[in-house]
Amino acid sequence: SSWQRTRANKLKAENADAQTPPLMATPSEPLRVVEFFAGIGGLHYALQRSGVPHRVVQAFDVDDSAVRTYRHNLPCTPVSTKNIVSLQQADLQRLAADCWLLSPPCQPHTRQGLQLAESDGRAAALARLVDLLEAADPPLLP
């Protein structure tokens, strides 16, 4: 598409002297995306609307109602109710994602909530993802 060609040309120009390759150097392959804390698929929908070539290879959410709605809204995307806290490094490597979408629970950190931060059980899944990112080999973070 013209968007892809324009984006690719812009990235080439911006990164002509860069030491690291751009995220989307060639738009021929869609981004492999994993959606954590997927809810009803709002971030997936936003990514679709953006026009960025992608494929959501896995979505995760523990809320049964949200997962039913996600499956209704995005029936071609695999959705797991596996608790993110139980994910292992091998799970992330198997997914081989180029991009992560996530909208973790904010209640542990908001002024309106109890402000328990990491003491709130709802914060455990995000903490687990951070731990997995930090320990990844090969590194998933720059």
Side-chain angles (χ1 to χ4, degrees):
S1 75
S2 64
W3 176 88
Q4 291 172 324
R5 285 189 300 279
T6 302
R7 178 73 176 141
N9 290 336
K10 183 178 178 186
L11 285 169
K12 285 179 191 174
E14 289 174 355
N15 292 288
D17 298 322
Q19 302 269 0
T20 58
L23 175 63
M24 290 177 50
T26 57
S28 61
E29 291 293 319
L31 289 174
R32 288 179 55 87
V33 177
V34 175
E35 188 175 13
F36 297 101
F37 313 100
I40 63 171
L43 291 177
H44 185 157
Y45 178 73
L47 186 58
Q48 284 179 333
R49 296 282 305 200
S50 75
V52 172
H54 70 281
R55 182 169 67 97
V56 177
V57 296
Q58 184 70 62
F60 292 91
D61 204 288
V62 294
D63 183 278
D64 291 330
S65 295
V67 167
R68 279 193 304 278
T69 304
Y70 191 106
R71 287 181 175 143
H72 174 79
N73 291 339
L74 301 154
C76 295
T77 301
V79 186
S80 174
T81 56
K82 183 175 185 175
N83 192 326
I84 292 169
V85 173
S86 67
L87 289 177
Q88 301 297 315
Q89 209 53 253
D91 297 317
L92 297 182
Q93 290 170 349
R94 177 185 54 79
L95 293 169
D98 301 307
C99 176
W100 288 7
L101 301 177
L102 54 139
S103 182
C106 63
Q107 297 90 337
H109 310 286
T110 62
R111 285 187 247 160
Q112 297 297 329
L114 297 176
Q115 299 179 5
L116 297 175
E118 294 80 27
S119 299
D120 188 317
R122 294 172 288 193
L126 179 59
R128 177 65 180 155
L129 286 178
V130 171
D131 289 346
L132 289 170
L133 276 171
E134 291 177 340
D137 185 28
L140 293 173
L141 292 173

